[in-house]
Amino acid sequence: IMFSSPVYSNNTPVGVILGYTSFQRIWEILEGYSIGSTGYVYLIDEKGIILSHPDKNIIFSSIPPQYIPPVNTGNSSGFMEYIRTDNKEMIGGYASILEDTFLDGGFWCVIAVQQTSEAFSSLLLFRDQITLFIVIVGTVFIITGVGFSYRVTKPIKKLEDGAKRIASGDLSHHVEIRSGDELESLASTFNTMTDALYKSRKHLEELLYEKEEFINQLGHDLKNPLVPILNVLPVVIEKTKDPEIKKLLLMISDRISYIKHLIINTLKLAKLRSSYQKISLEEIPLSSLIEEAIQGNKILAEEKNINMKNLVDKEIKVYADKLQLEEVLQNLISNALKFTDRNGEVEIGAKKDKGAITVWVADTGIGLTKDQLSHVFEEFYKADPSRHDLASSGLGLSIAKRIVERHGGKIWAESPGLGKGSTFYFTLPNGKKDL
C-alpha cells in the first residue's frame, strides 16, 4: 500500500512525500488486539471490502451491506450489533480512519466485535450476584422482621385477649408479659386496674346481697302484721251493726289490702332487678297457658259480659319461666278487662316472627293517648286514676316489662286514641337462650 502527501511552502506546493507499507504489517498490528475468547478486530473500506481479518480466507471479500457501519451518514464512530452467517450474535463498535486521505473520498473503518453472550456474561454474572445478594438480604430482613413483629405483636395480642376476657366479666384474669419494656409496664398497669375492678365488683356484690336480704326481711316484717288484721276485720265487719262504723271498717280493709298488694308487687319488682333472681326456662305450649289465664279472669269477664278469645295456635311454644309468664299474662288480661266497658271484647293472639314469638292482648276499652302510651310502663303510673280500683298499685305493667326484658324480649303498647281500645304486645324467644 502506497501513501502520498503534498508538501507546501507559502501555500505553494513544492513536492510530494511518498510512503508505503504492506497489508501484512496491518494484519500483524490488528491481530495483536484480542477481545475475550470470541472477540476480534477487523478492517474494511467504504465499500465493505475486508482489508484485515483474523480469518485470512475472507480477506478482500465483501461483507453484506447490512454489516457495513453507517459512516457515510456522518457517524464516524458508533455502536453496532448483527448476526453472523453462522448465527452467532455479535456486538461491538466501529470508528472510521483516513477519511481525508483518499482522493476519491473513501475511508477505512476499524471494527471491534465480540459474541453477545460473552460480552454480557460478566454483566449477567454481576446481575446474578446482585440478585442473590438481594434475595439473601431480603430473607434476612423478612426473618428479622417476622421475629421483631412476633416479639412486638405477641404481648399486644395478650393485652387484647386479656381485655376481651375482662369485658366478658372475668376480672380475675392477669396478663403476663415479660418483655422488659413499655409493654410489660402497660401489662402491669392493666393488671392493677383489673385487680381494683375485681375488688370493687366483689364489694358491690356484697352490698347487693345485703340489699336483697334487707328487702326480703323488710317485706316479711311489713306483711306479717297485716295478716291477722285482714283475718280479723271480716269478722268485726260482720258483727258490727252501726252502718257508719261498718263503712269505715270496709274502707280500712280496702286500704290494708292495698298496702299488702303494694308490698307484694314492690318486692316482686325489687327481685326482678336483682342479678340473683334466676329464670327457670322450660318449653311451654302458649295456647294452654293463655287458656289458664282466661279461666283465672272468667268471673270478672262474666260480670261485665266481656267476650274473651284465645286466638293462639296450639302448635306455638315458647321458652320461658312459667310462673313469670303467667304473671305477665295475668297483668295484661286483667288490665284489659278492667278498662273495657260492659259487652266489650278482649282477644289474645300470637304469631311467629324471625327468632321470636310476638304475643298481643287487644281490647275494645277506653284506649290511651300518645302521652299515656309513653308513660304506661313506668312504676306507679296510672293512666286514668279515676278508673283504677283502690287495690291497684300501678306496678303491674312495670313488673310485666321487667319480666319480658329478663327473657330477652320487649314490650310495648299501641292505641288509636281514647275510646278506641288498646293493644299490648310483647316478644319472647322461640328457642333456648341463656338468661
Side-chain angles (χ1 to χ4, degrees):
I1 302 173
M2 184 173 286
F3 302 94
S4 64
S5 177
V7 179
Y8 293 91
S9 176
N10 297 323
N11 294 325
T12 301
V14 294
V16 176
I17 296 176
L18 297 176
Y20 70 92
T21 186
S22 66
F23 274 107
Q24 185 68 34
R25 178 57 183 156
I26 294 174
W27 295 343
E28 291 173 356
I29 293 172
L30 294 180
E31 286 176 357
Y33 295 97
S34 63
I35 307 172
S37 60
T38 62
Y40 51 90
V41 178
Y42 64 98
L43 180 67
I44 63 172
D45 64 11
E46 77 280 2
K47 297 178 181 178
I49 303 298
I50 298 174
L51 304 177
S52 174
H53 196 282
D55 184 0
K56 300 297 187 296
N57 295 322
I58 62 172
I59 291 177
F60 301 126
S61 63
S62 297
I63 63 174
Q66 64 266 29
Y67 297 158
I68 300 176
V71 177
N72 57 356
T73 62
N75 298 316
S76 59
S77 63
F79 169 81
M80 62 183 297
E81 56 181 331
Y82 60 90
I83 300 175
R84 288 191 324 203
T85 54
D86 58 358
N87 292 323
K88 299 291 185 182
E89 293 184 6
M90 306 300 290
I91 187 171
Y94 63 88
S96 61
I97 58 175
L98 307 177
E99 293 179 352
D100 299 326
T101 302
F102 297 95
L103 296 177
D104 59 358
F107 61 88
W108 287 358
C109 186
V110 178
I111 301 173
V113 294
Q114 186 180 24
Q115 287 188 16
T116 304
S117 59
E118 183 182 12
F120 283 103
S121 61
S122 58
L123 182 61
L124 293 174
L125 177 60
F126 179 72
R127 182 200 66 182
D128 293 341
Q129 290 173 340
I130 288 295
T131 302
L132 180 60
F133 175 76
I134 292 173
V135 170
I136 293 172
V137 171
T139 303
V140 171
F141 270 107
I142 290 172
I143 294 172
T144 305
V146 169
F148 180 75
S149 175
Y150 179 76
R151 182 174 177 272
V152 172
T153 59
K154 185 180 179 181
I156 293 175
K157 186 68 169 60
K158 283 187 176 181
L159 285 169
E160 181 185 2
D161 293 340
K164 288 180 179 178
R165 290 187 62 172
I166 290 168
S168 67
D170 184 9
L171 295 179
S172 63
H173 179 70
H174 274 196
V175 178
E176 300 296 336
I177 295 177
R178 296 289 183 266
S179 58
D181 55 14
E182 291 82 357
L183 289 173
E184 182 176 345
S185 176
L186 178 61
S188 177
T189 304
F190 189 86
N191 293 333
T192 302
M193 177 192 70
T194 56
D195 288 341
L197 288 173
Y198 181 76
K199 291 178 181 178
S200 297
R201 187 178 72 174
K202 293 296 290 184
H203 180 62
L204 181 61
E205 288 175 348
E206 291 172 0
L207 292 176
L208 289 173
Y209 181 76
E210 291 175 2
K211 186 197 79 170
E212 295 299 322
E213 289 296 307
F214 171 76
I215 290 174
N216 289 334
Q217 187 62 44
L218 178 64
H220 182 270
D221 293 343
L222 289 174
K223 284 191 300 180
N224 280 353
L226 299 178
V227 174
I229 297 175
L230 288 172
N231 289 336
V232 171
L233 271 177
V235 177
V236 175
I237 291 170
E238 185 179 351
K239 291 184 176 182
T240 300
K241 304 300 182 181
D242 189 322
E244 292 297 323
I245 296 177
K246 183 176 284 192
K247 183 178 179 181
L248 290 173
L249 290 173
L250 286 170
M251 183 181 69
I252 292 171
S253 179
D254 288 340
R255 298 311 296 171
I256 292 175
S257 295
Y258 169 77
I259 292 171
K260 180 184 177 183
H261 190 65
L262 180 61
I263 292 171
I264 292 171
N265 280 342
T266 302
L267 289 174
K268 285 180 181 178
L269 199 58
K271 287 181 178 180
L272 287 170
R273 288 173 174 171
S274 171
S275 58
Y276 294 98
Q277 181 72 16
K278 300 299 180 183
I279 293 179
S280 179
L281 293 178
E282 59 180 297
E283 188 178 63
I284 304 170
L286 187 58
S287 179
S288 300
L289 194 64
I290 289 173
E291 197 61 42
E292 293 176 10
I294 288 174
Q295 292 300 316
N297 289 275
K298 189 175 182 180
I299 294 175
L300 179 58
E302 289 178 348
E303 286 178 358
K304 300 178 72 173
N305 195 31
I306 294 175
N307 182 27
M308 300 185 70
K309 295 180 181 179
N310 180 1
L311 306 179
V312 179
D313 191 322
K314 293 183 178 180
E315 298 299 320
I316 294 180
K317 297 180 180 180
V318 295
Y319 281 89
D321 185 302
K322 186 176 181 181
L323 292 177
Q324 292 191 9
L325 183 55
E326 283 177 349
E327 185 153 9
V328 173
L329 292 170
Q330 174 63 30
N331 278 327
L332 296 181
I333 293 173
S334 63
N335 273 356
L337 291 171
K338 189 185 300 180
F339 298 107
T340 298
D341 293 329
R342 294 183 61 81
N343 303 317
E345 188 174 273
V346 174
E347 68 174 33
I348 304 97
K351 66 177 181 178
K352 288 184 178 181
D353 289 323
K354 186 177 180 180
I357 302 295
T358 300
V359 185
W360 67 86
V361 178
D363 63 59
T364 57
I366 62 175
L368 294 164
T369 65
K370 287 185 178 180
D371 181 65
Q372 290 170 339
L373 286 171
S374 64
H375 298 287
V376 71
F377 293 102
E378 294 177 3
E379 296 167 14
F380 302 106
Y381 179 76
K382 296 181 180 181
D384 184 1
S386 65
R387 298 292 294 269
H388 283 74
D389 56 49
L390 292 175
S392 175
S393 63
L395 292 173
L397 290 178
S398 299
I399 291 172
K401 183 174 185 291
R402 291 280 180 181
I403 292 173
V404 170
E405 289 177 348
R406 284 294 300 272
H407 281 76
K410 61 180 181 177
I411 187 170
W412 70 98
E414 296 178 1
S415 176
L418 292 177
K420 298 180 181 179
S422 304
T423 303
F424 284 77
Y425 298 88
F426 67 92
T427 61
L428 290 172
N430 61 0
K432 292 182 179 179
K433 185 176 181 181
D434 295 329
L435 299 173

